[in-house]
């Protein structure tokens, strides 16, 4: 279960949005004996507290693409998942920190299965493109450094754009640049670089 936001960021009358997730966790608990794993940007800000409040079995703080698979492998094998990077286990000590992948290029991007699901309304298809994670700044209004780490990690803009266009089978209508920050635009995986490369591909075809 992915938790996107902790609250609505209203200064006058803030609402705890975790309260809306709790019934979902309870419904899953009532419907299945399968372990409940929490994750996402919001969860990663307060992983231990969110796990207790929502009543999950496990939680992943930080990048979840690879460590989630590692968690599933251990559960399937009947092994203890405690000690995996960024994995919180209910009732056990918290890990020393989040899970941050050192190689974004190795993480999955667009999946053709998403295109098949969205084919009924292709003009409403939004593709999230993330070429960079992390931010060295400590802005008081932003949690990016806490969620993604303070080290900027990038993947080549050409790699992101090319994989997105090819695997989406030409059905791109909207692209959501989801790198999370606008610092150091000279980085190869910056939103500006990814957008420029995508525009070139969509106008001239795939090289």
């Amino acid at each position: 279960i992915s938790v996107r936001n902790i609250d609505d960021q209203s200064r006058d009358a803030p609402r705890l949005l975790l309260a809306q997730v709790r019934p979902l966790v309870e419904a899953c608990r009532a419907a299945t004996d399968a372990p409940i794993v929490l994750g996402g940007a919001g969860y990663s800000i307060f992983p231990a507290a969110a796990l207790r409040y929502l009543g999950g079995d496990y939680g992943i703080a930080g990048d979840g693409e690879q460590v989630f698979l590692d968690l599933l492998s251990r559960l399937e094998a009947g092994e203890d998942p405690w000690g995996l990077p960024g994995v919180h286990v209910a009732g056990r000590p918290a890990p020393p920190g989040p899970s941050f992948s050192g190689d974004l290029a190795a993480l999955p991007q667009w999946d053709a299965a998403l295109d098949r699901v969205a084919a009924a309304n292709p003009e409403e298809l939004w593709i999230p493109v993330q070429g960079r994670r992390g931010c060295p700044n400590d802005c008081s209004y932003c949690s990016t450094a806490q969620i993604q780490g303070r080290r900027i990690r990038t993947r080549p803009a050409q790699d992101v754009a090319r994989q997105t266009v090819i695997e989406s089978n030409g059905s791109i209508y909207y692209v959501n640049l989801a790198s999370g920050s606008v610092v150091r635009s000279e980085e190869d995986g910056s939103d500006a670089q990814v957008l420029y490369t995508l525009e070139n591909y969509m106008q001239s075809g795939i090289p």
Side-chain angles (χ1 to χ4, degrees):
I1 299 176
S2 181
V3 179
R4 176 63 179 84
N5 295 307
I6 297 295
D7 57 40
D8 61 2
Q9 300 184 1
S10 171
R11 297 182 61 181
D12 297 329
R15 291 186 302 130
L16 180 67
L17 299 182
L18 281 182
Q20 299 179 13
V21 182
R22 208 172 190 176
L24 175 61
V25 175
E26 294 171 350
C28 291
R29 182 76 69 195
T32 178
D33 293 330
I36 296 176
V37 183
L38 306 175
Y43 173 81
S44 297
I45 300 175
F46 304 108
L51 186 64
R52 288 194 302 268
Y53 177 81
L54 295 174
D57 299 301
Y58 306 98
I60 298 176
D63 299 347
E65 292 92 338
Q66 181 57 54
V67 74
F68 180 56
L69 300 180
D70 298 337
L71 171 60
L72 294 181
S73 295
R74 288 204 182 183
L75 294 178
E76 186 177 24
E79 300 174 353
D80 185 1
W82 187 79
L84 286 173
V87 173
H88 290 249
V89 180
R92 304 283 293 277
S99 169
F100 295 136
S101 174
D103 183 11
L104 294 188
L107 300 180
Q109 288 289 309
W110 177 257
D111 191 319
L114 299 176
D115 187 43
R116 292 194 296 271
V117 172
N121 294 290
E123 293 186 2
E124 297 180 5
L125 177 62
W126 282 79
I127 296 181
V129 174
Q130 188 176 52
R132 182 187 68 246
R133 292 180 186 177
C135 179
N137 297 336
D138 293 310
C139 301
S140 61
Y141 57 83
C142 182
S143 56
T144 295
Q146 186 173 357
I147 297 169
Q148 301 179 0
R150 302 188 75 256
R151 182 172 67 87
I152 293 180
R153 299 166 291 145
T154 68
R155 64 177 294 169
Q158 183 177 8
D159 182 25
V160 178
R162 188 169 188 272
Q163 183 176 1
T164 300
V165 174
I166 290 176
E167 296 192 4
S168 67
N169 199 26
S171 59
I172 292 180
Y173 285 86
Y174 300 100
V175 173
N176 174 28
L177 298 178
S179 292
S181 62
V182 293
V183 298
R184 296 189 63 178
S185 60
E186 73 274 12
E187 292 289 343
D188 194 30
S190 70
D191 288 349
Q193 289 288 348
V194 171
L195 180 58
Y196 175 77
T197 309
L198 271 172
E199 288 178 341
N200 285 342
Y201 281 163
M202 295 170 75
Q203 291 175 3
S204 59
I206 306 297

